[in-house]
Amino acid sequence: MSNEGRAPRRRSTHRHGTASHAFEMPAMPEAVDIFDTTLRDGSQQEGLSLTVDDKLRVAEQLDHLGVAYIEGGWPGANPKDEEFFARAPAELRLSTATLVAFGSTRRAGVRAEDDEVLGHLVKANTEAVCIVAKASELHVTDALRTSLDEAVAMAADSVRFLRQHDLRVFFDAEHFFDGYLENAEFTLRILDAAKEAGAETIVLCDTNGGTLPHDVEHIVSEIVRRFDRQVGVHFHNDSGCAVSNSIAAVRAGATHVQGCINGYGERTGNADLSATIPNLSLKLNVRTIPPDRLERITPVSHHIAELVNIAPAPQQPYVGTAAFAHKAGLHTSAIARRRDAYEHIAPDAVGNGTRFVVSEMAGRSTLALKAQELGLELDSDALSGVLDTLKVLEHRGYHFEVADGSLELLLRRATGWEPDFFELESFRVISDHDERHLTEATVKVMVGDRRVVATAEGNGPVNALDSALRQAIGGEFPKLSGIHLVDYRVRVLDTGHGTGAVTRVLIDTTDGEDLWTTIGVSENIIEASWQALFDSIVYGLLHAASD
Ligand SMILES: [Zn+2]
């Protein structure tokens, strides 16, 4: 595959890149510590809200992935984070990661031992803490409204206090890059104070996210050369460079990288660790998470997306469902022969996979590849039959490119397979216009030779049908309880054939590991919903049975 047999990294070309650098770069590290802040900085994202249980589950996933540190939240800032740190020791069994509590330096004019935030940090009962301090003159004078000397004392006193309680201290220098360019002398005083007071790692933060990689490279080089202490970085993505900046910083000698799986965070987010980690591990040979766990990054990214209830972006590098999806036309057979010529890494290195996207534009060879991918044997006649069906259906408004689940069922049917989990006799949906706006659905099905009639309520037709169907067949198929709908999209299509508008319904479903999309098209929105729901459940049962 593409990333095998690569020549060993040549340190010399990196170190003495004098042709492109007017400064000397420190040596690139062998390994870096990955610090995930999804549970603290990441949860600042609009629409992202985690219960304490969710937070515990996210932390488990991060540990399973193998990050070095998990920032769990800000104890004392809200009851949720308070509860998280109280429950973590008993309920979290971390095997690779160290839990970190976050807080800020003491307030101006208050003794460290009297400061409430620092008190909460000690009580959080973690081995390590991370505190943030303003490292920019502007923010000290304008936001804190205190003197530069007091800001330096706040940093020093706070670190010293936490060290006296035997805590490992990570020191987040907030607004570091902007502050360094504006008044380097003051910013360096802050870093010096933290270092001398015993901070283990000095973390350079690009809080406004506006810094570009070439500045990161020379500034981080200067700091790494100046400090005999671990230097870390924390980038926000406001200029679209958070991942690039993290890589530039590591190339310049930083050995601690903060960010969030899937790049969560306020505004444009934090550095996306789902891209940063593979870039460092696979492209630069820098150790990040344990190498044999890199293949967990796609499933973990999707699982966490599920926990935070934000649909994963298909185009996300490395881990997105489209990251290795080829909409093949002319090049299909060439891609099949030499995938490595069309993919920047072997997708399985990150637990992802090559996917061939099928649409009516696709030829036989794409369809044959798709069947092969699914392990289905389709002869030439069967293949022609599927191709014809596909064209007819796409003409009616189906769109199989985005409905991999329904496409798979279509291909399976072409081999003569028919789902026999249950048989629909009829369904009925009633929508009540009252205060509760509930929809009621009744489903009549045959499960084996048993006729079952089930009625359920929901907040719409799909929800009500889904609940009724589950009631009817859930007893027969207990695995159904692990399968649930995560998204539902409706689009009205004007077919332009004089038949009026048709409705296209797409349903995303997950079993916690895989996500599949199914489709229904009809002039009747409820009929379209049923088709998509039927495929969704059949696909889920089919794969649950083969597990
Ligand atoms: Zn941040």
Side-chain angles (χ1 to χ4, degrees), residues 469-510:
L469 183 59
R470 280 164 190 275
Q471 241 183 61
I473 67 171
E476 186 73 19
F477 304 105
K479 283 195 171 167
L480 204 55
S481 61
I483 296 169
H484 58 277
L485 314 189
V486 284
D487 202 6
Y488 168 70
R489 301 184 294 284
V490 177
R491 214 173 131 194
V492 175
L493 308 168
D494 183 5
T495 56
H497 302 303
T499 49
V502 298
T503 305
R504 174 158 75 205
V505 171
L506 290 168
I507 293 179
D508 292 341
T509 310
T510 185

Side-chain angles (χ1 to χ4, degrees), residues 36 109 249 274 315 345 357 394 425:
D36 183 282
S274 328
Q315 286 173 315
I345 58 152
V357 176
E394 296 227 336
E425 184 186 299

Side-chain angles (χ1 to χ4, degrees), residues 166-441:
D166 281 330
L167 289 161
R168 297 169 60 189
V169 180
F170 302 114
F171 185 84
D172 273 6
E174 198 183 32
H175 297 290
F176 165 81
F177 289 91
D178 300 331
Y180 187 75
L181 292 172
E182 154 202 302
N183 178 354
E185 195 245 321
F186 167 69
T187 297
L188 290 171
R189 276 180 70 201
I190 291 278
L191 303 193
D192 278 328
K195 186 197 107 176
E196 268 145 41
E200 175 175 325
T201 307
I202 306 288
V203 184
L204 315 176
C205 301
D206 187 24
T207 310
N208 293 354
T211 308
L212 295 180
H214 65 286
D215 278 331
V216 169
E217 207 159 71
H218 80 83
I219 294 174
V220 173
S221 294
E222 281 167 35
I223 302 297
V224 166
R225 271 203 313 273
R226 191 175 197 281
F227 282 90
D228 54 344
R229 199 58 54 95
Q230 182 176 41
V231 171
V233 285
H234 175 116
F235 289 103
H236 281 264
N237 198 34
D238 298 75
S239 35
C241 292
V243 171
S244 317
N245 283 342
S246 305
I247 293 163
V250 171
R251 277 176 35 89
T255 56
H256 166 117
V257 177
Q258 300 195 351
C260 298
I261 283 293
N262 299 334
Y264 300 125
E266 62 183 324
R267 306 191 308 275
T268 55
N270 285 71
D272 180 2
L273 290 179
S274 328
T276 309
I277 290 171
N279 275 329
L280 291 172
S281 286
L282 296 174
K283 305 276 172 90
L284 294 177
N285 267 357
V286 173
R287 232 175 78 89
T288 52
I289 55 176
D292 59 343
R293 297 200 192 182
L294 191 59
E295 64 183 31
R296 297 182 183 175
I297 200 161
T298 298
V300 165
S301 144
H302 293 193
H303 194 139
I304 291 180
E306 174 73 18
L307 289 167
V308 305
N309 200 20
I310 291 176
Q315 286 173 315
Q316 212 180 332
Y318 291 101
V319 298
T321 51
F324 303 96
H326 305 277
K327 188 161 177 175
L330 276 179
H331 303 300
T332 311
S333 44
I335 295 175
R337 258 196 326 274
R338 284 293 311 265
R339 283 186 194 175
D340 58 343
Y342 293 85
E343 291 176 335
H344 71 127
I345 58 152
D348 32 333
V350 291
N352 209 337
T354 300
R355 213 156 54 79
F356 291 97
V357 176
V358 176
S359 76
E360 60 178 333
M361 303 301 286
R364 296 175 68 88
S365 54
T366 312
L367 212 53
L369 269 173
K370 188 77 197 178
Q372 199 190 326
E373 190 186 311
L374 298 169
L376 300 175
E377 302 245 346
L378 284 182
D379 63 20
S380 172
D381 283 353
L383 217 51
S384 304
V386 179
L387 207 55
D388 290 344
T389 311
L390 206 67
K391 286 186 176 174
V392 170
L393 290 175
E394 296 227 336
H395 187 67
R396 276 175 30 203
Y398 283 82
H399 192 47
F400 285 97
E401 244 176 87
V402 292
D404 52 348
S406 292
L407 177 68
E408 179 176 330
L409 297 180
L410 189 78
L411 284 166
R412 286 188 187 278
R413 284 194 173 100
T415 65
W417 170 85
E418 273 305 323
D420 58 359
F421 302 109
F422 60 94
E423 202 183 319
L424 177 74
E425 184 186 299
S426 67
F427 67 77
R428 188 174 59 192
V429 174
I430 305 163
S431 209
D432 279 326
H433 184 73
D434 58 14
E435 301 99 84
R436 299 195 305 151
H437 297 290
L438 280 180
T439 302
E440 182 186 304

Side-chain angles (χ1 to χ4, degrees), residues 428 430 439-444 452-458 464-465 467-469 471-472:
R428 188 174 59 192
I430 305 163
T439 302
E440 182 186 304
T442 300
V443 175
K444 299 177 185 176
V452 190
V453 179
T455 299
E457 287 180 329
L465 279 169
S467 301
L469 183 59
Q471 241 183 61

Side-chain angles (χ1 to χ4, degrees), residues 26-59:
M28 182 155 64
E30 303 268 341
V32 300
D33 296 329
I34 298 293
F35 182 111
D36 183 282
T37 178
T38 301
L39 299 178
R40 201 271 303 171
D41 217 357
S43 62
Q44 299 298 309
Q45 177 163 328
E46 227 179 312
L48 197 158
S49 169
L50 293 167
T51 64
V52 177
D53 284 309
D54 294 336
K55 293 189 76 155
L56 291 164
R57 298 295 85 77
V58 170

